[in-house]
Amino acid sequence: MDFSAFSGPAFWAALLSIIVANILLSGDNAVVIALASRNLPAHQQKKAIFWGSAAAIILRVVLTVTAVQLLTLPYLKIIGAVLLVYIGVQLLADSDDEGEMEGSANIWGAIRTILVADLVMSLDNVLAVAAAAQKGPEETRLALLIIGLGLSIPLIIFGSTMLLKVMDRFPIIITLGAGLLGLLAGGMLVEDPAIKESMQAAFEDAHMIFEGIGVAIVILLGSYLKKKNAKKESH
């Protein structure tokens, strides 16, 4: 391998592009990480955020390598949209869960939620990162992905930690975060190759309509289950 390719301006420009793209696209991921970790004790929150973020970045590297092929598969985004709605509803429904929990099981549960949500939401995001990597020399592209996404870990961890503190003071953020997942789900649904053309033909503002439906489903269903859980605990 020609290691001089790693010191040229094209390499550094591509690396900077990957880092910037990942920061801009990771706001929703930071929300999920914070939501999934919020019910854990403080010391376990830090572990869940760190390992969840690190595992999500590794997953994103793998996904980015095959992103173009994956995104052309029909019905994949529909499945992803359903998963996002499910995750959003569960996060909102469990938002008042203050009971004692088994530490290790819940850390792994939080990490699992982070990974599934990141996998689903990254189907679109990784395209931007992959495009940024294409700016670099061909022999450095995989290294660019790994280095660029790896350098993003501390930034995502910082964003998640800050959100946890804000959620403690303003619980409405939990509802807004869950609603964001519904919005992303609605947008993802109408972009699926299997139904994209028919959706756009049937609805002039298909994105806006289904994003609104996604938000409504997550918030209404999540709030209903949250109240139902609260009644069970009070009896």
PDB file of all heavy atoms in Angstrom, residues 133-166:
ATOM      1  N   ALA A 133     -16.288   9.502   1.813  1.00  0.00           N
ATOM      2  CA  ALA A 133     -15.102   8.647   1.706  1.00  0.00           C
ATOM      3  C   ALA A 133     -14.622   8.543   0.260  1.00  0.00           C
ATOM      4  O   ALA A 133     -13.427   8.368   0.005  1.00  0.00           O
ATOM      5  CB  ALA A 133     -15.397   7.258   2.255  1.00  0.00           C
ATOM      6  N   GLN A 134     -15.554   8.667  -0.677  1.00  0.00           N
ATOM      7  CA  GLN A 134     -15.184   8.561  -2.088  1.00  0.00           C
ATOM      8  C   GLN A 134     -14.271   9.703  -2.534  1.00  0.00           C
ATOM      9  O   GLN A 134     -13.620   9.626  -3.566  1.00  0.00           O
ATOM     10  CB  GLN A 134     -16.445   8.545  -2.972  1.00  0.00           C
ATOM     11  CG  GLN A 134     -17.368   7.367  -2.737  1.00  0.00           C
ATOM     12  CD  GLN A 134     -16.679   6.031  -2.938  1.00  0.00           C
ATOM     13  OE1 GLN A 134     -16.070   5.800  -3.957  1.00  0.00           O
ATOM     14  NE2 GLN A 134     -16.782   5.160  -1.944  1.00  0.00           N
ATOM     15  N   LYS A 135     -14.228  10.780  -1.742  1.00  0.00           N
ATOM     16  CA  LYS A 135     -13.364  11.916  -2.090  1.00  0.00           C
ATOM     17  C   LYS A 135     -11.887  11.585  -1.890  1.00  0.00           C
ATOM     18  O   LYS A 135     -11.018  12.234  -2.461  1.00  0.00           O
ATOM     19  CB  LYS A 135     -13.719  13.140  -1.225  1.00  0.00           C
ATOM     20  CG  LYS A 135     -15.117  13.692  -1.452  1.00  0.00           C
ATOM     21  CD  LYS A 135     -15.356  14.884  -0.527  1.00  0.00           C
ATOM     22  CE  LYS A 135     -16.759  15.446  -0.684  1.00  0.00           C
ATOM     23  NZ  LYS A 135     -16.975  16.580   0.259  1.00  0.00           N
ATOM     24  N   GLY A 136     -11.619  10.597  -1.033  1.00  0.00           N
ATOM     25  CA  GLY A 136     -10.236  10.254  -0.733  1.00  0.00           C
ATOM     26  C   GLY A 136      -9.653   9.295  -1.752  1.00  0.00           C
ATOM     27  O   GLY A 136     -10.379   8.727  -2.586  1.00  0.00           O
ATOM     28  N   PRO A 137      -8.327   9.077  -1.702  1.00  0.00           N
ATOM     29  CA  PRO A 137      -7.687   8.098  -2.587  1.00  0.00           C
ATOM     30  C   PRO A 137      -8.317   6.725  -2.410  1.00  0.00           C
ATOM     31  O   PRO A 137      -8.679   6.337  -1.291  1.00  0.00           O
ATOM     32  CB  PRO A 137      -6.230   8.115  -2.106  1.00  0.00           C
ATOM     33  CG  PRO A 137      -6.052   9.444  -1.438  1.00  0.00           C
ATOM     34  CD  PRO A 137      -7.381   9.761  -0.816  1.00  0.00           C
ATOM     35  N   GLU A 138      -8.457   5.983  -3.494  1.00  0.00           N
ATOM     36  CA  GLU A 138      -9.184   4.712  -3.464  1.00  0.00           C
ATOM     37  C   GLU A 138      -8.641   3.743  -2.421  1.00  0.00           C
ATOM     38  O   GLU A 138      -9.401   3.076  -1.725  1.00  0.00           O
ATOM     39  CB  GLU A 138      -9.137   4.058  -4.848  1.00  0.00           C
ATOM     40  CG  GLU A 138     -10.004   2.814  -4.948  1.00  0.00           C
ATOM     41  CD  GLU A 138     -10.072   2.283  -6.368  1.00  0.00           C
ATOM     42  OE1 GLU A 138      -9.575   2.963  -7.278  1.00  0.00           O
ATOM     43  OE2 GLU A 138     -10.619   1.184  -6.549  1.00  0.00           O
ATOM     44  N   GLU A 139      -7.309   3.670  -2.286  1.00  0.00           N
ATOM     45  CA  GLU A 139      -6.719   2.692  -1.379  1.00  0.00           C
ATOM     46  C   GLU A 139      -6.891   3.071   0.093  1.00  0.00           C
ATOM     47  O   GLU A 139      -6.587   2.284   0.980  1.00  0.00           O
ATOM     48  CB  GLU A 139      -5.229   2.493  -1.690  1.00  0.00           C
ATOM     49  CG  GLU A 139      -4.361   3.726  -1.477  1.00  0.00           C
ATOM     50  CD  GLU A 139      -4.234   4.575  -2.742  1.00  0.00           C
ATOM     51  OE1 GLU A 139      -5.185   4.564  -3.558  1.00  0.00           O
ATOM     52  OE2 GLU A 139      -3.205   5.233  -2.905  1.00  0.00           O
ATOM     53  N   THR A 140      -7.386   4.275   0.367  1.00  0.00           N
ATOM     54  CA  THR A 140      -7.532   4.721   1.761  1.00  0.00           C
ATOM     55  C   THR A 140      -8.987   4.748   2.219  1.00  0.00           C
ATOM     56  O   THR A 140      -9.260   5.113   3.355  1.00  0.00           O
ATOM     57  CB  THR A 140      -6.944   6.139   1.942  1.00  0.00           C
ATOM     58  OG1 THR A 140      -7.773   7.083   1.234  1.00  0.00           O
ATOM     59  CG2 THR A 140      -5.527   6.223   1.444  1.00  0.00           C
ATOM     60  N   ARG A 141      -9.926   4.355   1.360  1.00  0.00           N
ATOM     61  CA  ARG A 141     -11.330   4.603   1.666  1.00  0.00           C
ATOM     62  C   ARG A 141     -11.844   3.840   2.886  1.00  0.00           C
ATOM     63  O   ARG A 141     -12.571   4.395   3.703  1.00  0.00           O
ATOM     64  CB  ARG A 141     -12.194   4.311   0.429  1.00  0.00           C
ATOM     65  CG  ARG A 141     -12.035   5.409  -0.617  1.00  0.00           C
ATOM     66  CD  ARG A 141     -12.710   5.106  -1.922  1.00  0.00           C
ATOM     67  NE  ARG A 141     -12.380   6.137  -2.905  1.00  0.00           N
ATOM     68  CZ  ARG A 141     -12.646   6.041  -4.198  1.00  0.00           C
ATOM     69  NH1 ARG A 141     -13.262   4.967  -4.669  1.00  0.00           N
ATOM     70  NH2 ARG A 141     -12.308   7.015  -5.018  1.00  0.00           N
ATOM     71  N   LEU A 142     -11.485   2.568   3.022  1.00  0.00           N
ATOM     72  CA  LEU A 142     -11.924   1.809   4.200  1.00  0.00           C
ATOM     73  C   LEU A 142     -11.308   2.391   5.462  1.00  0.00           C
ATOM     74  O   LEU A 142     -11.991   2.548   6.486  1.00  0.00           O
ATOM     75  CB  LEU A 142     -11.549   0.338   4.052  1.00  0.00           C
ATOM     76  CG  LEU A 142     -11.993  -0.574   5.208  1.00  0.00           C
ATOM     77  CD1 LEU A 142     -13.504  -0.511   5.389  1.00  0.00           C
ATOM     78  CD2 LEU A 142     -11.539  -2.010   4.981  1.00  0.00           C
ATOM     79  N   ALA A 143     -10.020   2.741   5.390  1.00  0.00           N
ATOM     80  CA  ALA A 143      -9.358   3.364   6.542  1.00  0.00           C
ATOM     81  C   ALA A 143     -10.017   4.690   6.880  1.00  0.00           C
ATOM     82  O   ALA A 143     -10.188   5.032   8.057  1.00  0.00           O
ATOM     83  CB  ALA A 143      -7.873   3.574   6.240  1.00  0.00           C
ATOM     84  N   LEU A 144     -10.423   5.443   5.867  1.00  0.00           N
ATOM     85  CA  LEU A 144     -11.105   6.721   6.091  1.00  0.00           C
ATOM     86  C   LEU A 144     -12.400   6.520   6.872  1.00  0.00           C
ATOM     87  O   LEU A 144     -12.706   7.271   7.809  1.00  0.00           O
ATOM     88  CB  LEU A 144     -11.414   7.396   4.747  1.00  0.00           C
ATOM     89  CG  LEU A 144     -10.322   8.285   4.151  1.00  0.00           C
ATOM     90  CD1 LEU A 144     -10.664   8.634   2.712  1.00  0.00           C
ATOM     91  CD2 LEU A 144     -10.144   9.543   4.985  1.00  0.00           C
ATOM     92  N   LEU A 145     -13.160   5.502   6.479  1.00  0.00           N
ATOM     93  CA  LEU A 145     -14.424   5.219   7.173  1.00  0.00           C
ATOM     94  C   LEU A 145     -14.175   4.892   8.645  1.00  0.00           C
ATOM     95  O   LEU A 145     -14.835   5.430   9.541  1.00  0.00           O
ATOM     96  CB  LEU A 145     -15.139   4.041   6.512  1.00  0.00           C
ATOM     97  CG  LEU A 145     -15.770   4.293   5.133  1.00  0.00           C
ATOM     98  CD1 LEU A 145     -16.288   2.990   4.560  1.00  0.00           C
ATOM     99  CD2 LEU A 145     -16.872   5.317   5.247  1.00  0.00           C
ATOM    100  N   ILE A 146     -13.222   4.006   8.885  1.00  0.00           N
ATOM    101  CA  ILE A 146     -12.949   3.565  10.260  1.00  0.00           C
ATOM    102  C   ILE A 146     -12.429   4.715  11.114  1.00  0.00           C
ATOM    103  O   ILE A 146     -12.903   4.952  12.228  1.00  0.00           O
ATOM    104  CB  ILE A 146     -11.941   2.394  10.250  1.00  0.00           C
ATOM    105  CG1 ILE A 146     -12.569   1.176   9.552  1.00  0.00           C
ATOM    106  CG2 ILE A 146     -11.524   2.030  11.674  1.00  0.00           C
ATOM    107  CD1 ILE A 146     -11.596   0.049   9.273  1.00  0.00           C
ATOM    108  N   ILE A 147     -11.454   5.474  10.575  1.00  0.00           N
ATOM    109  CA  ILE A 147     -10.876   6.588  11.338  1.00  0.00           C
ATOM    110  C   ILE A 147     -11.902   7.700  11.549  1.00  0.00           C
ATOM    111  O   ILE A 147     -12.089   8.203  12.663  1.00  0.00           O
ATOM    112  CB  ILE A 147      -9.628   7.150  10.613  1.00  0.00           C
ATOM    113  CG1 ILE A 147      -8.532   6.094  10.539  1.00  0.00           C
ATOM    114  CG2 ILE A 147      -9.106   8.389  11.344  1.00  0.00           C
ATOM    115  CD1 ILE A 147      -7.374   6.482   9.631  1.00  0.00           C
ATOM    116  N   GLY A 148     -12.584   8.085  10.479  1.00  0.00           N
ATOM    117  CA  GLY A 148     -13.548   9.187  10.564  1.00  0.00           C
ATOM    118  C   GLY A 148     -14.699   8.901  11.503  1.00  0.00           C
ATOM    119  O   GLY A 148     -15.069   9.731  12.340  1.00  0.00           O
ATOM    120  N   LEU A 149     -15.265   7.693  11.384  1.00  0.00           N
ATOM    121  CA  LEU A 149     -16.377   7.327  12.261  1.00  0.00           C
ATOM    122  C   LEU A 149     -15.890   7.102  13.690  1.00  0.00           C
ATOM    123  O   LEU A 149     -16.582   7.429  14.653  1.00  0.00           O
ATOM    124  CB  LEU A 149     -17.088   6.080  11.723  1.00  0.00           C
ATOM    125  CG  LEU A 149     -17.805   6.267  10.371  1.00  0.00           C
ATOM    126  CD1 LEU A 149     -18.376   4.955   9.882  1.00  0.00           C
ATOM    127  CD2 LEU A 149     -18.896   7.302  10.492  1.00  0.00           C
ATOM    128  N   GLY A 150     -14.688   6.551  13.836  1.00  0.00           N
ATOM    129  CA  GLY A 150     -14.127   6.344  15.174  1.00  0.00           C
ATOM    130  C   GLY A 150     -13.915   7.651  15.911  1.00  0.00           C
ATOM    131  O   GLY A 150     -14.189   7.766  17.110  1.00  0.00           O
ATOM    132  N   LEU A 151     -13.436   8.674  15.195  1.00  0.00           N
ATOM    133  CA  LEU A 151     -13.226   9.982  15.818  1.00  0.00           C
ATOM    134  C   LEU A 151     -14.546  10.643  16.223  1.00  0.00           C
ATOM    135  O   LEU A 151     -14.561  11.565  17.037  1.00  0.00           O
ATOM    136  CB  LEU A 151     -12.468  10.903  14.851  1.00  0.00           C
ATOM    137  CG  LEU A 151     -10.990  10.571  14.619  1.00  0.00           C
ATOM    138  CD1 LEU A 151     -10.403  11.465  13.542  1.00  0.00           C
ATOM    139  CD2 LEU A 151     -10.199  10.720  15.918  1.00  0.00           C
ATOM    140  N   SER A 152     -15.641  10.161  15.642  1.00  0.00           N
ATOM    141  CA  SER A 152     -16.952  10.731  15.963  1.00  0.00           C
ATOM    142  C   SER A 152     -17.510  10.207  17.283  1.00  0.00           C
ATOM    143  O   SER A 152     -18.446  10.792  17.832  1.00  0.00           O
ATOM    144  CB  SER A 152     -17.949  10.419  14.846  1.00  0.00           C
ATOM    145  OG  SER A 152     -17.446  10.832  13.605  1.00  0.00           O
ATOM    146  N   ILE A 153     -16.966   9.083  17.785  1.00  0.00           N
ATOM    147  CA  ILE A 153     -17.495   8.468  19.011  1.00  0.00           C
ATOM    148  C   ILE A 153     -17.554   9.457  20.178  1.00  0.00           C
ATOM    149  O   ILE A 153     -18.606   9.600  20.819  1.00  0.00           O
ATOM    150  CB  ILE A 153     -16.689   7.208  19.402  1.00  0.00           C
ATOM    151  CG1 ILE A 153     -16.878   6.114  18.358  1.00  0.00           C
ATOM    152  CG2 ILE A 153     -17.119   6.691  20.771  1.00  0.00           C
ATOM    153  CD1 ILE A 153     -16.036   4.871  18.607  1.00  0.00           C
ATOM    154  N   PRO A 154     -16.446  10.154  20.501  1.00  0.00           N
ATOM    155  CA  PRO A 154     -16.499  11.076  21.647  1.00  0.00           C
ATOM    156  C   PRO A 154     -17.569  12.150  21.481  1.00  0.00           C
ATOM    157  O   PRO A 154     -18.203  12.560  22.462  1.00  0.00           O
ATOM    158  CB  PRO A 154     -15.097  11.706  21.668  1.00  0.00           C
ATOM    159  CG  PRO A 154     -14.236  10.766  20.915  1.00  0.00           C
ATOM    160  CD  PRO A 154     -15.120  10.147  19.876  1.00  0.00           C
ATOM    161  N   LEU A 155     -17.784  12.604  20.248  1.00  0.00           N
ATOM    162  CA  LEU A 155     -18.773  13.655  20.008  1.00  0.00           C
ATOM    163  C   LEU A 155     -20.191  13.141  20.252  1.00  0.00           C
ATOM    164  O   LEU A 155     -21.026  13.836  20.825  1.00  0.00           O
ATOM    165  CB  LEU A 155     -18.627  14.172  18.577  1.00  0.00           C
ATOM    166  CG  LEU A 155     -17.255  14.813  18.285  1.00  0.00           C
ATOM    167  CD1 LEU A 155     -17.050  14.970  16.789  1.00  0.00           C
ATOM    168  CD2 LEU A 155     -17.134  16.159  18.971  1.00  0.00           C
ATOM    169  N   ILE A 156     -20.462  11.894  19.819  1.00  0.00           N
ATOM    170  CA  ILE A 156     -21.789  11.319  20.048  1.00  0.00           C
ATOM    171  C   ILE A 156     -22.002  11.053  21.537  1.00  0.00           C
ATOM    172  O   ILE A 156     -23.081  11.293  22.087  1.00  0.00           O
ATOM    173  CB  ILE A 156     -21.959  10.016  19.235  1.00  0.00           C
ATOM    174  CG1 ILE A 156     -21.885  10.322  17.730  1.00  0.00           C
ATOM    175  CG2 ILE A 156     -23.282   9.328  19.570  1.00  0.00           C
ATOM    176  CD1 ILE A 156     -21.930   9.101  16.852  1.00  0.00           C
ATOM    177  N   ILE A 157     -20.946  10.564  22.215  1.00  0.00           N
ATOM    178  CA  ILE A 157     -21.035  10.313  23.657  1.00  0.00           C
ATOM    179  C   ILE A 157     -21.324  11.613  24.398  1.00  0.00           C
ATOM    180  O   ILE A 157     -22.178  11.663  25.295  1.00  0.00           O
ATOM    181  CB  ILE A 157     -19.726   9.678  24.175  1.00  0.00           C
ATOM    182  CG1 ILE A 157     -19.588   8.241  23.638  1.00  0.00           C
ATOM    183  CG2 ILE A 157     -19.680   9.671  25.707  1.00  0.00           C
ATOM    184  CD1 ILE A 157     -18.258   7.592  23.952  1.00  0.00           C
ATOM    185  N   PHE A 158     -20.628  12.674  24.024  1.00  0.00           N
ATOM    186  CA  PHE A 158     -20.835  13.978  24.669  1.00  0.00           C
ATOM    187  C   PHE A 158     -22.279  14.449  24.467  1.00  0.00           C
ATOM    188  O   PHE A 158     -22.932  14.905  25.397  1.00  0.00           O
ATOM    189  CB  PHE A 158     -19.856  15.008  24.104  1.00  0.00           C
ATOM    190  CG  PHE A 158     -20.074  16.395  24.625  1.00  0.00           C
ATOM    191  CD1 PHE A 158     -19.665  16.746  25.905  1.00  0.00           C
ATOM    192  CD2 PHE A 158     -20.704  17.360  23.845  1.00  0.00           C
ATOM    193  CE1 PHE A 158     -19.869  18.028  26.393  1.00  0.00           C
ATOM    194  CE2 PHE A 158     -20.919  18.636  24.317  1.00  0.00           C
ATOM    195  CZ  PHE A 158     -20.494  18.980  25.599  1.00  0.00           C
ATOM    196  N   GLY A 159     -22.777  14.316  23.219  1.00  0.00           N
ATOM    197  CA  GLY A 159     -24.146  14.734  22.934  1.00  0.00           C
ATOM    198  C   GLY A 159     -25.164  13.937  23.727  1.00  0.00           C
ATOM    199  O   GLY A 159     -26.133  14.493  24.257  1.00  0.00           O
ATOM    200  N   SER A 160     -24.942  12.626  23.856  1.00  0.00           N
ATOM    201  CA  SER A 160     -25.865  11.761  24.606  1.00  0.00           C
ATOM    202  C   SER A 160     -25.853  12.121  26.096  1.00  0.00           C
ATOM    203  O   SER A 160     -26.902  12.164  26.745  1.00  0.00           O
ATOM    204  CB  SER A 160     -25.472  10.291  24.432  1.00  0.00           C
ATOM    205  OG  SER A 160     -25.392   9.954  23.072  1.00  0.00           O
ATOM    206  N   THR A 161     -24.656  12.365  26.640  1.00  0.00           N
ATOM    207  CA  THR A 161     -24.525  12.708  28.059  1.00  0.00           C
ATOM    208  C   THR A 161     -25.234  14.018  28.367  1.00  0.00           C
ATOM    209  O   THR A 161     -25.928  14.148  29.381  1.00  0.00           O
ATOM    210  CB  THR A 161     -23.037  12.810  28.450  1.00  0.00           C
ATOM    211  OG1 THR A 161     -22.391  11.577  28.109  1.00  0.00           O
ATOM    212  CG2 THR A 161     -22.879  13.057  29.940  1.00  0.00           C
ATOM    213  N   MET A 162     -25.069  15.000  27.482  1.00  0.00           N
ATOM    214  CA  MET A 162     -25.740  16.290  27.668  1.00  0.00           C
ATOM    215  C   MET A 162     -27.259  16.120  27.628  1.00  0.00           C
ATOM    216  O   MET A 162     -27.978  16.712  28.431  1.00  0.00           O
ATOM    217  CB  MET A 162     -25.301  17.273  26.582  1.00  0.00           C
ATOM    218  CG  MET A 162     -23.894  17.804  26.747  1.00  0.00           C
ATOM    219  SD  MET A 162     -23.704  18.808  28.249  1.00  0.00           S
ATOM    220  CE  MET A 162     -24.762  20.192  27.837  1.00  0.00           C
ATOM    221  N   LEU A 163     -27.745  15.298  26.688  1.00  0.00           N
ATOM    222  CA  LEU A 163     -29.188  15.080  26.576  1.00  0.00           C
ATOM    223  C   LEU A 163     -29.759  14.421  27.827  1.00  0.00           C
ATOM    224  O   LEU A 163     -30.878  14.732  28.240  1.00  0.00           O
ATOM    225  CB  LEU A 163     -29.496  14.213  25.351  1.00  0.00           C
ATOM    226  CG  LEU A 163     -29.608  14.957  24.019  1.00  0.00           C
ATOM    227  CD1 LEU A 163     -29.656  13.980  22.857  1.00  0.00           C
ATOM    228  CD2 LEU A 163     -30.855  15.835  24.004  1.00  0.00           C
ATOM    229  N   LEU A 164     -29.004  13.483  28.422  1.00  0.00           N
ATOM    230  CA  LEU A 164     -29.464  12.838  29.659  1.00  0.00           C
ATOM    231  C   LEU A 164     -29.703  13.869  30.749  1.00  0.00           C
ATOM    232  O   LEU A 164     -30.691  13.812  31.479  1.00  0.00           O
ATOM    233  CB  LEU A 164     -28.429  11.810  30.127  1.00  0.00           C
ATOM    234  CG  LEU A 164     -28.549  10.400  29.557  1.00  0.00           C
ATOM    235  CD1 LEU A 164     -27.380   9.550  30.023  1.00  0.00           C
ATOM    236  CD2 LEU A 164     -29.864   9.754  29.979  1.00  0.00           C
ATOM    237  N   LYS A 165     -28.790  14.824  30.876  1.00  0.00           N
ATOM    238  CA  LYS A 165     -28.931  15.872  31.898  1.00  0.00           C
ATOM    239  C   LYS A 165     -30.138  16.760  31.616  1.00  0.00           C
ATOM    240  O   LYS A 165     -30.875  17.136  32.528  1.00  0.00           O
ATOM    241  CB  LYS A 165     -27.654  16.715  31.947  1.00  0.00           C
ATOM    242  CG  LYS A 165     -26.438  15.932  32.455  1.00  0.00           C
ATOM    243  CD  LYS A 165     -25.171  16.776  32.412  1.00  0.00           C
ATOM    244  CE  LYS A 165     -23.974  15.960  32.894  1.00  0.00           C
ATOM    245  NZ  LYS A 165     -22.703  16.719  32.796  1.00  0.00           N
ATOM    246  N   VAL A 166     -30.340  17.068  30.340  1.00  0.00           N
ATOM    247  CA  VAL A 166     -31.488  17.900  29.966  1.00  0.00           C
ATOM    248  C   VAL A 166     -32.795  17.158  30.234  1.00  0.00           C
ATOM    249  O   VAL A 166     -33.772  17.736  30.699  1.00  0.00           O
ATOM    250  CB  VAL A 166     -31.393  18.310  28.475  1.00  0.00           C
ATOM    251  CG1 VAL A 166     -32.657  19.038  28.034  1.00  0.00           C
ATOM    252  CG2 VAL A 166     -30.169  19.191  28.244  1.00  0.00           C
TER     253      VAL A 166
END
